[in-house]
Amino acid sequence: MRFLTLIGALCVATTPSAYAQDKWTIVIHGGAGEMARGKTSPEQDQALRAGLNAALDAGAGVLAADGSALDAVEAAIKVLEDDPRFNAGRGAVFTWEGRNELDAAIMDGRTRAAGAVAGITRTRNPISLARAVMEKSPHVFLGGEGADRFSIEQGLPQVDPSWFAIPERRKQLERMKADKLSWYDVDLKFGTVGAVAIDADGNVAAATSTGGRTGKRWGRIGDAPVIGAGTYADNRACAVSATGAGEYFIRVGAAHEICARVRMKGETPKQAADAVMAEIGQLGGTGGVIVTGPGGAADWSFNTPGMSRGSASSTGERKVALYGDED
Ligand code: ASP
């Protein structure tokens, strides 16, 4: 019996390195939405591209120094969380009550270990709290006040909630209330951030961080921190991070569905991403996903006019794009 257990453990332990490769790749997004030429000012265009490039520098820097995919996605996300132009960390959208409540998730494709937080209010970098949940707690998903307390116990950098609040986002909430708009009208550039990577050892990881949707209430949680919906990583398939109308991504189990199609149907990550985005579109959902997997291809799929996105790899390829017609 003990012998069989040992064999079982060895099988599990060897599975993740089955795709060992020399090439690393990182893909990031800064939200899907109405990024159409003419709707984005030249200053916004430049600033978004600069933000994406800075995040790619951080993530690619980790991978180029032989770091892990997990460290790379966390490093990239932290840069985007600190950048007020994106709806994650500083610059997050406001709830109906005028607060910033942050969601984030991270997943390690080697072991399918995962950590997620929802509705947190004081941790400067929500993605690092998600990672602490994965590595330092016996749980996968912590919410609200308890998650904030866990963060303090873990010694993660805390900020006053006003750190996250920027005037432009507050105006979006005011406009939404005054004009009785839906979040689709005010969140033209949704702005959630995500990163997926594969390292030189063939391990994948995924991370997503967001403030959710302007005017969210009743403790609404989107797809970003829901493992399998907005975030998923599995060495046997791929790593996925999503952005868009979270309710649809939850209903479809989007990120897991993409990985499952790759693993069980033998589709490429791109084929699987396109198929799942088509399904989301049929249900009436909008948004996009980024994907990478064995072989190191950098892929994305979205059904909005644009999606802030970028990729870098060990072959020296680097791309940053905002609009749908840029590929
Ligand atoms: N997916 C996020 C949510 O529903 C929002 C976004 O990606 O813009 O909370």
Side-chain angles (χ1 to χ4, degrees), residues 29 31-32 87 103 183 187 189-193 208-213 216 220-225 230 242-247 249-250 286-288:
H29 70 74
N87 171 20
D103 304 337
W183 58 33
D187 289 349
K189 301 173 207 59
F190 297 163
T192 288
V193 305
T208 314
S209 182
T210 187
R213 310 304 304 265
K216 66 183 183 180
R220 182 264 186 192
I221 300 166
D223 60 317
T243 175
E247 282 68 13
F249 288 77
I250 294 174
T286 53

